[in-house]
Each structure stands twice: as structure tokens, then as C-alpha cells.
Amino acid sequence: MTSTADKKKAGTGGHRVLGTRPIRHDGLEKVTGRAKYGADVQMAGLLYGAMLRSPYAHARIRSIDTTKAVELDGVKAVVTGRDMPEPLPGGSMRETHANLRVIKENALALDKVLYKGHAVAAVAATSIHVAQEAATLIEVDYEVLPPVLTAAEAMKDGAPLLHDDIAAMGRGHGPAGDSSQASSNVASHIQFKRGDISQGFDEADVIVERELTTKPVHQGYIEPHNSTAWWAPDGNITIWTSTQGAFIVRQQVAHLMRVTAANVKVVPMEIGGGFGGKIDTYLDPVTALLSRESGRPVKMVMSRKEVFEGTGPGSGSSMRVKIGARKDGLITAAEFSAVFEAGAYPGSSVGAACMCGLAPYKIENLQVDGFDVVVNKQKTAAYRAPGAPQGAYAVEAVIDEVAQKLDMDPLEFRLKNAPSPGDRQPSGVPFPSIGCIEVEEAMRAHPHYSAPLGGPNRGRGVATGYWFNAGMQSSATISVTADGTISLVTGSVDIGGSRAALAMQAAEVLGIAAEDVHPGVADTDSVGWTGHTGGSRTAFATGIAVIKAAEDVRRQMARRAALLWECKPEEVEFVQGTFVSQKSRDDRLTFKELAGRLMATGGPITVSVQADMDANKGVAPSFAGLMVDVEVDPETGKVDVLRATAFQDAGMAVHPRYVEGQMQGGSVQGIGWALNEEYWFTGDGVMANSSFLDYRMPTSLDLPMIETVIIEVPNPGHPFGVRGAGEISIVPAMAAVSNAVSRAIGTRMQALPMSPAAVLDALE
């Protein structure tokens, strides 16, 4: 176990590069404004696109008249959902886990609009102003229908139905898992169950049962969604876009436009934040369609209002948790029911909530139920460990209350019930190598935990969280240059420093400096299939591809050295960046020296590798904890965060500064989710706070410096022990803040956000 303070400049764990803190490779371009983002795309003949969006949360489209828009001077194309082809039948979308009908109808509504802001038609014109004016000239005849805005409303008998046949949307299970119940707003029901729940609760000395709720929240990325498409006369489509997954965009556009993937090239631009919100595609099929109709390239960039109203937030939720424990602190039984809003189409993050909520605890008797419910709001999207923060918030609040009733220290209670490798997760799958106990022990030993609170109306909250991380496929290509540096090309979009993390792993294998690696992100024609940047998979899974490529480079370099020294390749050792002959120890060449002689020994070396099964087999989950001190003003209800310390098992922190940044960023997002953030809807389904002025996210003025403690329990499934690090930090944050506020005011908070008004209501 290693804390942040143990990180030395020269690396850790015997490594020369890993564990150091080099300057990020793309830093200069980004701080000087030279990096190119999606909105920066320019080219000859470029048209500008604008969208017409629904003013209603639920309505049937009777007709659309585009005549006036088409006749406006400067308009080159107008399209509606009727212009989008039917997707290719039988096309496999396993790589993207996507439902093509949902993507198509969410991009451009067909028969109904299902949320305020649902795209109805799109215009391409010679200027953005003409396009926007033309969009207002499109006449739509709506039959307004009653909306359902919460899962509770949507699940009632007789509630208005969003879809006549929800099975066709790709989930197809009613409340009891009966696929015959097609006419329902409940898209799916999942369940995990083991042991004897009734007997477990009978054995309990203390039982706590609570219902807790959260609201939809925005991921908080600064850059709006964008897309530029050029459908060339030869039938090939090129798309420039800010996305977390270029290959996902390629596959989805190909299927929706009825072309092969070979006809679509996606160029991933730099991305101004995503946090899961830029995995889904919204504009790319529409810009491609407009380009086909106009014969010219088309660019669309969302306004901030469009981002809020037309793209996916994290799910709102309603959860019930019941936990029983004996006097000695052993949990005897647990029930966890989670109802998640999916928005207009099936596919909320309830499954992950069910997998993660109870995961930090070893419980023999449990039942977990999850319901995916459609409502007349934006189709939800991923948000940093999607589903897990909500699940942790509900479970950890009840865990904290059980510990209080048992008069036990909250961390002692957690440690008493913490799982070890081999124990079963809620899903029944055994845990691989995990660091739950190590994280909780680090929390208990930290000076923050024993520090005095120092005043009235203050509370300290702790919480832990779990995220399973992901593997999937990644590709990497390494080319050795004559000066001894290497070019590293991957398909992983860089959101939080993955260029550096991948470059450092290559450098470690090849015995060169991180600065001698030139990492780049390629388009879909220039590198093999690579999964999206999400699921905390990039440094781990793409890292495995990079390591395998670097090892192959090292083997080929050893063969070149053997040619020079007239020995067998197996007689060449690689020691700390230097090739050494076993026959004559005086025969030695550094990596750079040997690189300069490649042309004389057979030519340049380029290696391409795909990590597939290796990555999927080696995935290891992560645990994290957050400790928060708050002060509550009893007169205004305002909550001030006084101190926060984040703990996280990173397996191996490749670049500690970036891991610390992820820990701090995730904690801040969770604190905002807990105290201020929510999508506020009027009774007719209109989002009333669709700007950063009214959607209140915390800034540096609202928070203290987030302290960080990195714990390292190596992942045996990765050559350097790496685990995912990007998502787990947000998981315990809402729960820790909620527990702190509840202890400060002496009553249990049961809904997020805990705004000043909500806190005052609780105090009263």
C-alpha cells in the first residue's frame, strides 16, 4: 500500500518511468490554444447546421411542413426523421452495445416527440444565422399528449405510455421480467438474490429501512457537442467530432446510413470534457444526412441550452434500502431496490447501481432489484461510473445509520463487513484481487479521521464505493525513429491524460524517457478497433496493447543487435534500456544507439498490436472512499465543505498527478451532485435551469483543496498492476456529504440535492 506522499520523482516500485510526474505531451498545444477541437473545423464550402427541437415533452407529430425553410435564400438542405434510412437489418452492434432504433429516433424524432428539446428537423445553410432562421420557419402540427415526468408516475396503472411496444426498443421486460408485458413504461427488471432474506432479518438486532431519491444531473463538460460531416461524391463519409469513441460513431453512422464501416472515417478531435456524456452520438447521423442532401460538408455545434435539453444527463433515481445487523456489527441481510429514470428511451444505468451498491459488503442474505423506467425527459447517458454513485448514496446512508444505532465507529463497522478476494459480489460473481480493506484501513489511519471537528453544526461523513472497471478491445502502433524516439499511435481519445499514461508505459518497457515517446490519437482508418474512452479502461486496456507492442519492438531490436554482434537473438539481454551481448559484455548499445543503426540492419521497425482477451481477462475492480467535514448554517441551510480527503486504490498509479486529479475531480462532481445540482422541470416537462448560470456547479471558491491518498494494491491482470482510476472517485462522494450533513443537523437527509431549502425543511 502506497500513499501519495510516498511517490518519489525517480519512480516507484523499481520502475524508472512509472510513478513519475512528467509534463503532459499535449500540454503546450492546449495551454496555447493550438489544439483543435470539433468547433474549430473549417474547410472549403462548409455549411452550417441548425436543429428544430420540440417545445413539448410529449406529443404526436401529425405533419411537418418544410416549404418555407427550403425557400429561404441560403438554405441548401432540410431533413426530418422521414429522410433518415431504416438501419441495415441484422447488423451486429455488439461492439457498441447500441440500439439503432433508439439512436435514430433520438437523433431525429419520427412519429412522436418524447421530451422538450427532442430534435425534429435539421437545416443546412450558408451561415449559422440563416440556418437558425430557417429552422424557425418549419411548421410542425403536434397533438400534445400528457407527459410522465417521474418513474413513480410512469409506473402507475393507466399512466400515459411513451412507447406502444417497449420490447421493440431493445429491453422488453415488464416489472416481473415478463417479456409479454409490452405495453408498459417499465423497460426492464433485473434481480440478484441469494440466501434467506427473512431469516437474515430475523437474526438482526438492528434494522434500518430508508427510501432515498436523486435528481437527473449534468456531467458538467464545458465543450458542447459538435459534428462536421462530408459525404463525398464517391460515397465515402468523413466525420470530425468530439467524441469519447470514434469507432462507436463509425459503426453507428454506417448502420444508420446503410453503408459499410469501410465507407466511414471518423476523425476524433480534442475533447473538452465528457465524463461519459460524449459516448452517445446525437449530431453525427444528422450532419452526415445533411451533407448527403446538400452535397457539401456540414458542421453543427450545439448551444448550451441544446446541450442541456437535447443530450443525456445522469439518471434520476428512487431507491429503497433495508439493512439488518447483529449487535456485534455483522450484517445479516440486505434489500436494495432501485428505480431509475431512463428518459425517453430504455437504457438507464440501473444495472450498474445494482451491481455496485452493496458491493463493499460481504452479505450472505440479500435481494437486489432494479427497474429501468422510461419518462418524458432526455434519454439518459453515462456519467462517471454510471449508476454507482446513486447506489452508493442510498446504501451508504443506511450503513451509516445502522452504525449509529449500534454505537459503532462507522469505519470499524465497514471493515467488519468488508469483502476479500473470493467473496461474492451482489451479482454472485467472486471478487478477483481487490483493495476494499486496504482503502478502509487507510481511511481509519488518516489524521483527518481523528481530527477534532472544532465547532457546533459540524459533521463528518465517510463512505466507500465500488466500480467494476472495463476491458474491451484496444489497438496500438509503435514506430521507432532513427533518433531513438518512438511514435505511439492509439485509438483512445485523451480526456484526462491518457496520452501521458500510455506513453509512460511504453517508455518503461523500452527503457527510454517519457519525453522520448510521441503519442497521438488516430482516426478510424489509421489504427485498429479501439473501444471508447470510458469505463476506466484506457490506461489499463490500451496500456496492455501498448505494452505488448513495446515488447515486440524490444524483441525485434534484440534481433538487430544480434546481427551486429553475430550472435543469436536469445543471447541478447535488455538491461535498463541497454541491449547487452551475453557473449561479450563489452558489446552493448542503448535503445537510442541501436535505433540509429536500424536502416543498416534491415530497415525501420513498426509494430501494431491489438489487446483483446488479455484486457478482458485482466480487469480488476476499484474501491474508493471519501471523508468530508461540513458546517451547516442553521439559519440559511447553507452547507460549507470544510475539509475533504479522497482515498482510492489505483493498483499502480502510472502518473500520480493525473490520478490525484481524477480523485479530486470526481470528488468535486459528487459534492456538487450532493449539494446543488439537479435538472429542474416544470409541470409540463420544460427544463427551467438549462444554463450554467442556473444549473449550479461548485467552483474553486466553494471548496477546500481535496486531499488525496493513493493506495496501490496491484492488479495481477496487468503487467504493471494498473487498475482503472477515472470513475471510482465520484462513487462515494454523495454519500459521504449526505452522512456529514445528517450528522451535523441530527436528522437523516433522504434526497439529493441537499440545497439550503431542503436542509431548512429537514431542520424544521
Side-chain angles (χ1 to χ4, degrees), residues 16-17 486 502-515 517 550:
R16 299 171 64 250
V17 178
I486 65 169
L502 299 174
M504 291 172 70
Q505 293 180 69
E508 187 69 45
V509 173
L510 297 175
I512 58 179
E515 293 78 7
V517 182

Side-chain angles (χ1 to χ4, degrees), residues 545-577:
V546 168
I547 291 168
K548 291 167 70 71
E551 289 173 341
D552 196 357
V553 166
R554 200 170 62 187
R555 284 190 291 270
Q556 293 195 39
M557 296 278 280
R559 288 197 289 270
R560 301 298 182 88
L563 287 175
L564 293 172
W565 298 329
E566 298 181 349
C567 65
K568 297 178 181 179
E570 55 267 28
E571 295 175 332
V572 177
E573 294 180 330
F574 187 72
V575 182
Q576 294 185 346

Side-chain angles (χ1 to χ4, degrees), residues 10-12 15-20 501 504-505 508 652-654 656 720:
T12 58
H15 301 303
R16 299 171 64 250
V17 178
L18 303 184
T20 63
M504 291 172 70
Q505 293 180 69
E508 187 69 45
M652 164 68 198
V654 175
F720 296 131

Side-chain angles (χ1 to χ4, degrees), residues 422-435:
D423 290 330
R424 288 187 295 167
Q425 304 175 47
S427 63
V429 177
F431 278 113
S433 168
I434 56 173

